[in-house]
Amino acid sequence: MVLFSLVATHADIDLETVAQLSTGSSEIATSALSGSPAVKGAIVLATCNRFEIYGEAPHADDVEAARAALVAQISGLSGLNEQLVSKSFNTRTGGEVSQHLFAVSSGLDSAVVGEREIAGQVRRALITAQHEGTASAGLIRLFQAASKTAKDVGAQTALGSRGLSIVSVALDLATDLSENPDWSAKKAVVFGTGAYAGATMALLRERGCTDISVFSSSGRAEGFVATRGGTALDSDSLPGAVAAADVMIGCSGSDSRVEAEELARVRANSPQTLVAIDLALTHDFDPAVGELDGVELLTLESVRLAAPQEQAESLAQASGIVTGAAAAFEQEREARSVDSAIVALRRHTMNVLDAEMEKVRARHGCTAAAEEVEFALRRMVKQLLHVPTVRARELAANGQQEHYIAALDALYGITVEQPAAAPASAEDAECPVDHGQARQDIPEPRRNSA
């Protein structure tokens, strides 16, 4: 079995394309598994600035077919032509897969280096895939190892020790743009009721903001504020709240958005400046709102450009941990890849031994002589299997396990079957950005609201 990944991030393509690629992301893994025998497992990682698919194929020769199947699925769901989709993704195989995911999970590949949100997103992606039955055994081990690596980076380095996140940097920028930096005097309107909105609410309260209103046309605002505090808005009360707001924050990632013309009408008599923070990859706010008088617009790109650089020493230390963890994971994976071959050889040999012992017992019965013969044969078999087992581990460590499997077939006619992708548990953790929930919060097109 071979691990591979398709990666599209803010580092290589614009955020608009990333957003378009991720359209229908919740359906891709299931569709790919049912549509192509080359895809034996798939986990989708969709965040505010990346769209990545991690897969497992039966053999290295199947990776291209698996990639083509995924590209076709993404094209069909996003409406983008297959050529553009294919060009948007970088494909990784082998050790590059774990190296990249471990770096991502640890916050080394984020717009805000060392951010804390991404580790939760990685855990949530695994949990979702397990729930949907698309996570193969190899992918489960990969994502669990990524989460452990992120914990090690957090515990052993100062990277991200300030608790930086996309939201916290955005709020820092909003503070700088405000005439009054005191958050306790501000009124905030939050769009969305997913986990991203929950993280935003928590950080607003940490800064002293208590006047927080929440809008979700799906009707989830009431339940959301019941456990987190704040005021639930509906389409009737939303315009008044936006007119009085100092800050509005988009976290829903909906298909409809606050239009500039609509916002200008609602804010016509508002004396204070409005800071609009659009944290949704697909834009909750029309980009043109930033051109309105009295409105300052902050986007994910603004956050990326303003994100502080972590200390070089901490970054180097974290990178070392990631590299070491990725190397250890690959070594373990290579050793594990021959487990089935070792088991198959042992089973074959013991079956031969058992057959011979049946002949001995049929002739001599359960006598002391028969027991002595069995003891001697089992000791001999154990000695004979020692060297092939050691050689299997050595070949796997050098990436040559296929030679060993081929030799078993050539010498003994043993066909090695790969183990089934058995379910495994993953540590359940609250993810700051739950795109599945965010997509459930997509409001109906707004007609008379801001």
Side-chain angles (χ1 to χ4, degrees), residues 46-48 117-118 120-121 124 194-197 199 430-436 438:
T47 76
C48 57
E117 293 161 357
I118 186 63
Q121 293 167 328
R124 182 62 61 186
Y196 212 169
E430 186 65 26
C431 174
V433 186
D434 188 340
H435 285 261

Side-chain angles (χ1 to χ4, degrees), residues 26 44 123-134 434:
S26 60
V44 175
R123 288 194 295 271
R124 182 62 61 186
L126 172 58
I127 292 167
T128 299
Q130 287 180 288
H131 177 72
E132 295 176 350
T134 66
D434 188 340

Side-chain angles (χ1 to χ4, degrees), residues 309-323:
Q309 294 294 321
E310 294 290 336
Q311 292 183 354
E313 182 179 350
S314 295
L315 185 58
Q317 186 180 4
S319 298
I321 293 173
V322 166
T323 299

Side-chain angles (χ1 to χ4, degrees), residues 197-214:
T200 300
M201 290 276 286
L203 286 172
L204 284 171
R205 292 196 180 283
E206 283 182 13
R207 293 168 185 252
C209 183
T210 57
D211 192 339
I212 307 173
S213 300
V214 179

Side-chain angles (χ1 to χ4, degrees), residues 76-91:
L77 290 167
S78 66
L80 299 174
N81 68 68
E82 289 193 22
Q83 184 177 7
L84 175 59
V85 172
S86 182
K87 289 172 58 178
S88 299
F89 285 102
N90 289 322
T91 305

